[in-house]
């Protein structure tokens, strides 16, 4: 989303089709992912076998003093793994829509007004589908994680 935003709004200042910009984008993605998943190595949060016993995952619920650290780590993951990415995606695409509308209004003539409106509608639908897809993929996981933190235990059937 950030790359598309830069491409639409600041193409001349930040050319994105270069090797340097591609490597910089990959470096940012890997660094962000590392910073979100690295704290358990330092003792902030832990990993263990999940409640169904089928994989290794974040230990959502601790006991005693560990419980406070678990809640803090879940909050950290929730913020930087769900809320911040959603806010970035939402903000970038909102600004892309605004920029495209402003640019198209500056070059608007009566003949191309209906085609501009159709393009704007398609763009808005595309952005809505992308945001809904992100929410549909990650919101259930975020909710179950929070539920496990406060004591819910899934049952296998």
């Amino acid at each position: 989303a950030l790359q598309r935003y830069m491409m639409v709004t600041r193409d001349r200042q930040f050319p994105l089709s270069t090797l340097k910009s591609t490597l910089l984008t990959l470096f940012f993605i890997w660094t962000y992912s590392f910073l979100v998943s690295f704290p358990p190595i330092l003792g902030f949060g832990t990993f263990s076998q999940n409640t169904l016993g089928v994989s290794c995952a974040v230990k959502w619920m601790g006991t005693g003093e560990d419980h406070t650290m678990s809640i803090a780590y879940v909050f950290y993951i929730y913020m930087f793994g769900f809320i911040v990415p959603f806010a970035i995606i939402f903000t970038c695409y909102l600004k892309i829509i605004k920029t495209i509308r402003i640019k198209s209004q500056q070059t608007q003539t009566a003949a191309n007004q209906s085609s501009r409106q159709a393009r704007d509608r398609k763009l808005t639908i595309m952005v809505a589908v992308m945001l809904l897809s992100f929410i549909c993929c990650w919101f259930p996981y975020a909710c179950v994680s929070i539920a496990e933190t406060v004591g819910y235990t899934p049952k296998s059937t």
Side-chain angles (χ1 to χ4, degrees):
L2 282 171
Q3 197 171 29
R4 285 187 184 176
Y5 169 73
M6 299 297 264
M7 193 169 25
V8 169
T9 60
R10 295 181 171 91
D11 189 36
R12 303 222 189 278
Q13 294 169 328
F14 304 101
L16 296 173
S17 58
T18 65
L19 179 62
K20 181 181 175 182
S21 67
T22 302
L23 291 175
L24 190 61
T25 300
L26 289 172
F27 177 77
F28 173 76
I29 291 168
W30 278 95
T31 302
Y32 188 86
S33 299
F34 177 77
L35 291 174
V36 169
S37 59
F38 186 71
I41 294 172
L42 302 174
F44 180 56
T46 57
F47 287 95
S48 67
Q49 194 171 25
N50 71 359
T51 52
L52 297 177
V54 293
S55 66
C56 181
V58 172
K59 185 176 179 183
W60 298 114
M61 192 168 135
T63 56
E65 201 174 293
D66 188 38
H67 183 64
T68 305
M69 289 299 281
S70 290
I71 291 174
Y73 184 60
V74 168
F75 179 76
Y76 174 82
I77 288 179
Y78 191 73
M79 287 301 297
F80 293 102
F82 181 68
I83 300 294
V84 170
F86 179 76
I88 290 170
I89 293 167
F90 181 81
T91 303
C92 287
Y93 281 114
L94 185 67
K95 289 186 177 206
I96 287 171
I97 289 171
K98 285 182 179 181
T99 301
I100 288 175
R101 284 188 178 164
I102 289 169
K103 286 181 180 181
S104 66
Q105 285 175 352
Q106 291 171 349
T107 60
Q108 180 179 342
T109 64
N112 70 3
Q113 184 175 0
S114 64
S115 66
R116 180 189 63 82
Q117 287 174 341
R119 267 194 325 263
D120 286 353
R121 192 175 322 95
K122 270 177 106 172
L123 175 65
T124 305
I125 289 170
M126 180 200 68
V127 168
V129 166
M130 290 177 73
L131 289 171
L132 280 171
S133 297
F134 181 85
I135 289 172
C136 288
C137 290
W138 288 106
F139 189 68
Y141 179 76
C143 289
V144 169
S145 301
I146 289 173
E148 281 191 48
T149 302
V150 297
Y152 170 76
T153 305
K155 311 262 187 287
S156 64
T157 54

